Amino acid sequence: MISDKVLFVDDDISTLKAYKRQLRKQFSITTAIGGEEGLAQVVERGPYAVIVSDLCMPFMDGFEFLSRVQEISPDSIRIMLTGNADLNIAIKAVNEGSIFRFLTKPCEPDTLANMLGAGVEHYRLVMVERELNEKVKAMSITDPLTGCYNRGYLIEHLPQEIKRARRYERCLSVVMCDIDHFKKINDGHGHQAGDNVLRMFVQCIAGSIRKDIDWLARYGGEEFVIVLPETNLEGAFTLAERLRRNTARMEIEIDNNEINISASFGIAWFDRDTPDEKVLSDVIIDSADKCLYQAKRLGRNRVIG
């Protein structure tokens, strides 16, 4: 839910009480005495849609306060109030604090209410646009059928994982996996059944890898790639073997009948002693793919690394 809260910061308690009394029917008002208390409110109770600060306050003036607010809560709309109507101060407030509006005191309640309304609406538009952009970005890197990452994400982010591992002298493993005899499922039961199998296979993998560390991408068709940072060959083999067993135990209902599937796995990995020419994303993917092909050639339903 997008916030519609408003925070007033001033060093005068009576002024803060007046703001709250005048505006509480229209807005969710919180007040803070001075910059330090205001920053604590932003950190502990934010986000706020609009933050209104007086300019002249002891210990921390409005410029410093709103500049620090911008670092903590950059999307909050910032408004400055002051009894000094100097144009140069207004320009400085807008430029240095990225201020939405600069108002002089005393400010008529209706004028202030209209400005707060404009600020809240601007904040909502910013947040709606951000949410939309995040959804578009998520769609661009996500496989629409299974919900895991797509091949484009793999191509873009695997080199970054490799670079990070090399920088900190860590190991990294890549597991390529493929559902055995998948074409028979599509041919015998239809593509919808095949889609269900793919989704269940991805759920099986996602439930076994480390959240926010390991990640899974659909490479193409029924092939998937699992990226395992800070995981050596032994760790990758243990995971792949567990996934192989779990896949073989899956019972999938199709046309009122239960079918079983299996999967094959190929592993590639490197550590800090691996030569640079072997630590390239294309080389690693190709190595894992060759191991996967060998697993298929040796009878499927196995792990080769």
Side-chain angles (χ1 to χ4, degrees), residues 48-49 70 73-78 123 126-127 130:
Y48 288 92
Q70 186 178 17
S73 182
D75 294 320
S76 294
I77 303 304
R78 295 170 293 281
Y123 175 80
V126 169
M127 298 309 295
R130 168 164 292 187

Side-chain angles (χ1 to χ4, degrees), residues 37-53:
E37 185 176 319
L39 290 176
Q41 289 280 2
V42 174
V43 172
E44 297 170 9
R45 299 187 181 182
Y48 288 92
V50 179
I51 299 175
V52 184
S53 173

Side-chain angles (χ1 to χ4, degrees), residues 49-166:
V50 179
I51 299 175
V52 184
S53 173
D54 186 29
L55 171 59
C56 298
M57 298 184 293
F59 309 113
M60 183 187 302
D61 65 17
F63 289 126
E64 182 182 355
F65 169 70
L66 290 178
S67 294
R68 292 176 67 176
V69 164
Q70 186 178 17
E71 297 174 359
I72 300 169
S73 182
D75 294 320
S76 294
I77 303 304
R78 295 170 293 281
I79 296 175
M80 183 173 285
L81 284 168
T82 181
N84 190 330
D86 189 293
L87 179 60
N88 291 326
I89 293 179
I91 293 172
K92 181 180 179 182
V94 172
N95 290 339
E96 293 188 9
S98 298
I99 308 301
F100 178 70
R101 291 290 187 274
F102 180 87
L103 299 175
T104 56
K105 297 164 60 177
C107 186
E108 291 295 325
D110 288 346
T111 301
L112 184 55
N114 289 336
M115 193 60 62
L116 291 180
V120 169
E121 181 61 24
H122 187 77
Y123 175 80
R124 286 175 177 168
L125 291 174
V126 169
M127 298 309 295
V128 167
E129 183 178 7
R130 168 164 292 187
E131 289 178 1
L132 179 61
N133 289 337
E134 289 176 352
K135 288 180 181 178
V136 171
K137 181 179 179 181
M139 290 174 62
S140 72
I141 62 175
T142 302
D143 175 54
L145 175 63
T146 63
C148 69
Y149 292 122
N150 59 22
R151 185 166 180 163
Y153 183 92
L154 174 71
I155 292 171
E156 180 179 353
H157 284 79
L158 180 56
Q160 297 176 17
E161 290 283 8
I162 293 171
K163 185 177 180 180
R164 186 181 301 111
R166 295 300 270 183

Side-chain angles (χ1 to χ4, degrees), residues 176 219 223 266 268 284-294:
M176 181 168 282
Y219 191 69
E223 286 188 328
I284 293 170
I285 290 291
D286 183 62
S287 178
D289 190 40
K290 288 178 178 177
C291 289
L292 174 62
Y293 176 78
Q294 185 178 0

Side-chain angles (χ1 to χ4, degrees), residues 204 242-251 260-263 301:
C204 176
R242 183 166 68 249
L243 289 173
R244 185 196 66 78
R245 292 195 303 267
N246 290 344
T247 301
R249 286 196 291 261
M250 288 171 58
E251 295 180 348
N260 294 98
I261 65 171
S262 65
N301 192 24

